[in-house]
Amino acid sequence: MHRRITDKLVIATHNPGKLAEMRELLAPYGIEAVSAGELGLPEPEETGNDFRSNAAIKAIAAAQASKLPAFADDSGIVVDALDGAPGIYSARWAGPTKDFNAAMAQIERLLQERGATTPDKRKAHFVSALCVAWPDDHREEVEARVDGTLIWPPRGTAGFGYDPMFLPDGHSRTFGEMTSIEKHGLPPLGLGLSHRARAFRKLAEICLEPR
Ligand code: ITT
């Protein structure tokens, strides 16, 4: 049986870009949300082998520490020509200073080394695994992806992480050039385009009721 989210929720992320998106996604549902940062919760070590298990690790740690239901996202960019890298290591490729310009440059260097110079060889997708964990160990889990092509040089200053390099299929502007509504707004405001928006729609279907 799926469980509804009815009360206060912890957003178990320390990434400000993700936090903003997760808050915006939850806003229409009238759920009170506090962040892991606001509660001073520690960041657990992400020891899972896939997005889904890392999302669960983060949600469970925050639910146990706060005694509230906790909502976590584990996400990343999967590059076909790089055998799926950086994947679950997408945050780590930016290093301790979280330098995503350097991480994007590293991807581009590797693509060039492999001769991936035409769009058909530069396919990538973002993945988002979402997990809501309750203090009694109940969990709800969903996952989704958005497909696209990596462009160089990066374009746009909106969003975060690898957004300026990612051109979603069927669009002529990168995530870095899109407004937040265009990237992850849900109908009727947006198309629910991003991986996180797509995963969130699945979660909303089983766990949330519009106000
Ligand atoms: P938390 O674990 O605290 O949530 P994090 O940044 O460490 O924050 P992840 O381990 O899930 O999160 O790493 C995901 C990385 O993938 C993230 O740091 C971004 O660089 C990238 N990423 C995920 N979603 C993205 C998006 O919508 N746009 C651009 N980059 C994204």
Side-chain angles (χ1 to χ4, degrees), residues 12-15 18 21 43 46 58 73-77 88 90-91 100 126 160-163 175 183 195-196:
T13 179
H14 289 82
N15 176 325
K18 270 195 205 177
E21 291 193 8
E43 277 188 72
E46 295 179 26
K58 291 184 265 193
D73 161 288
D74 198 67
S75 45
I77 193 155
I88 59 168
S90 295
F100 283 97
F126 273 119
F160 64 96
Y162 299 91
D163 279 344
F175 273 173
K183 181 186 168 194
H195 48 314
R196 193 164 297 105

Side-chain angles (χ1 to χ4, degrees), residues 60-174:
I60 292 166
Q64 293 301 329
S66 67
K67 307 288 177 231
L68 290 168
F71 176 31
D73 161 288
D74 198 67
S75 45
I77 193 155
V78 176
V79 182
D80 292 3
L82 305 185
D83 308 315
I88 59 168
Y89 305 110
S90 295
R92 280 180 225 177
W93 277 35
T97 61
K98 302 190 194 311
D99 183 348
F100 283 97
N101 288 325
M104 288 190 286
Q106 168 74 353
I107 290 181
E108 181 59 22
R109 221 172 3 255
L110 294 171
L111 285 174
Q112 292 294 336
E113 270 174 32
R114 296 190 181 196
T117 49
T118 51
D120 58 306
K121 295 189 180 136
R122 297 171 63 89
K123 293 284 170 208
H125 59 272
F126 273 119
V127 175
S128 166
L130 299 178
C131 177
V132 181
W134 278 259
D136 69 356
D137 283 341
H138 182 84
R139 285 206 298 277
E140 297 287 351
E141 295 169 312
V142 293
E143 188 170 319
R145 64 187 265 177
V146 59
D147 293 284
T149 304
L150 297 179
I151 60 128
W152 198 259
R155 298 199 317 244
T157 54
F160 64 96
Y162 299 91
D163 279 344
M165 204 181 174
F166 186 80
L167 192 64
D169 284 351
H171 294 260
S172 55
R173 288 178 307 139
T174 68

